[in-house]
Amino acid sequence: MTRRQNRHGLPSRRTLFGVTLDALTMDETVQRCLDAVKRGEQIEIGMVNAAKLVNMRRDPRLAAAVSGCDLVLADGQAVVWAGRVLGVRLPERVAGIDLFMRLLAAAESADVPVYLLGARQDVLDLMLGRIAERFPALRVAGSRNGYFDDAEQPEIADAVAASGAHLLFLGMTSPKKEIFTAGYGKRTGAHVVHGVGGSFDILAGITKRAPVVWQRMGLEWFYRALQEPRRLGKRYLTTNTAFLVMTVRELVRRTPSVLPPATSSAGSANRSH
């Protein structure tokens, strides 16, 4: 198999914390998705941030689901920064919600049908209304809320396939969206399957996204925690601390030891072998 390359002809795959990532820009990612639609190929997209990389070490099923995706992208700014510290170059953060919006715009322009799966029904209805205002020509082939049992997954995948949607967006939390993608992404028939997490809530106006300056500083998680401190505060603090420890340990592991030159002093007599 040939190694994937970006538009500069350079290999576009990197390994960080044992996870293979695609070192693509947002523009390159969008183009990769549009090419898949044109060629009738299927692409499953996995997104990783600091919390997910931590959870992947704790949850083998989640790790397998993400690693099995065709594209695995750095959704969190902390992942990009950790890569720089560890000598693993990732060109930029490819935020899931930004990719979502770019693909909706592209789908509207190219008359590509989409399916929206996730969130509560009231949130989904609000989001559909907002999308209709922002992308009036977008063809929504179908939608469904994200509250279903595992036993319903085959039926839902078949409904997506029957809709004829080429782009499938999953507005569900981890690991539910990754597990669904791994088990039934291909069955949906969608050319691109993209898990967008809480993006449905943001588009519906239920939660607010952090200002751009917070995003650039890598503090989007903190802004989110301020909105729901009881539910998210401890979770983010725990996973971010674990991610920092992961990064430091990896840096220590990769840093070669610097030994003093051997001398004829008495200290050198300690080498008995």
Side-chain angles (χ1 to χ4, degrees):
M1 178 181 293
T2 58
R3 299 179 69 187
R4 293 177 180 168
Q5 295 184 333
N6 61 19
R7 59 190 173 87
H8 302 294
L10 299 174
S12 63
R13 309 219 81 182
R14 305 283 189 273
T15 300
L16 183 65
F17 301 116
V19 178
T20 300
L21 303 178
D22 290 271
L24 301 176
T25 65
M26 176 65 75
D27 289 342
E28 289 168 343
T29 303
V30 171
Q31 190 58 54
R32 186 73 64 84
C33 293
L34 296 180
D35 288 345
V37 173
K38 291 177 183 177
R39 298 170 183 167
E41 300 172 349
Q42 287 187 299
I43 289 181
E44 295 173 356
I45 299 176
M47 311 295 291
V48 295
N49 55 21
K52 191 176 294 184
L53 285 171
V54 170
N55 290 331
M56 285 170 67
R57 291 199 166 187
R58 302 169 177 171
D59 185 345
R61 193 179 180 192
L62 173 62
V66 173
S67 298
C69 289
D70 302 286
L71 289 180
V72 182
L73 305 164
D75 179 40
Q77 187 61 47
V79 177
V80 177
W81 287 343
R84 292 176 184 171
V85 170
L86 298 172
V88 180
R89 182 182 176 278
L90 299 169
E92 64 182 11
R93 176 194 184 198
V94 180
I97 186 171
D98 293 333
L99 179 59
F100 179 28
M101 300 306 292
R102 287 283 300 271
L103 290 176
L104 286 179
E108 180 186 35
S109 298
D111 192 32
V112 173
V114 306
Y115 197 104
L116 300 154
L117 173 61
R120 302 192 313 264
Q121 188 62 49
D122 59 325
V123 174
L124 180 61
D125 291 339
L126 283 171
M127 185 195 67
L128 289 170
R130 296 283 183 90
I131 284 179
E133 294 174 359
R134 187 161 182 175
F135 306 102
L138 178 68
R139 185 148 55 106
V140 178
S143 64
R144 192 199 188 283
N145 67 62
Y147 288 78
F148 52 84
D149 297 327
D150 289 349
E152 298 178 82
Q153 292 183 106
E155 177 185 344
I156 292 170
D158 291 341
V160 176
S163 75
H166 293 333
L167 302 180
L168 170 60
F169 300 104
L170 305 175
M172 300 182 289
T173 58
S174 293
K176 186 172 184 177
K177 64 178 181 292
E178 288 85 4
I179 299 303
F180 179 85
T181 298
Y184 297 96
K186 295 289 189 290
R187 184 164 173 167
T188 66
H191 298 308
V192 177
V193 180
H194 175 24
V196 300
S199 298
F200 285 14
D201 287 351
I202 293 175
L203 289 188
I206 302 301
T207 58
K208 295 182 180 180
R209 192 179 183 191
V212 174
V213 65
W214 288 56
Q215 296 175 38
R216 291 175 178 169
M217 294 172 62
L219 293 174
E220 195 163 7
W221 65 271
F222 185 57
Y223 188 89
R224 184 77 179 85
L226 290 176
Q227 295 182 67
E228 296 185 74
R230 291 186 178 182
R231 187 173 76 88
L232 299 176
K234 182 178 180 180
R235 182 194 306 176
Y236 279 133
L237 180 62
T238 301
T239 54
N240 285 354
T241 300
F243 183 74
L244 179 60
V245 171
M246 278 173 54
T247 304
V248 171
R249 285 178 175 171
E250 185 68 13
L251 180 62
V252 171
R253 188 185 70 82
R254 294 187 179 203
T255 302
S257 299
V258 179
L259 300 175
T263 66
S264 59
S265 63
S268 62
N270 293 329
R271 293 191 302 158
S272 58
H273 300 286

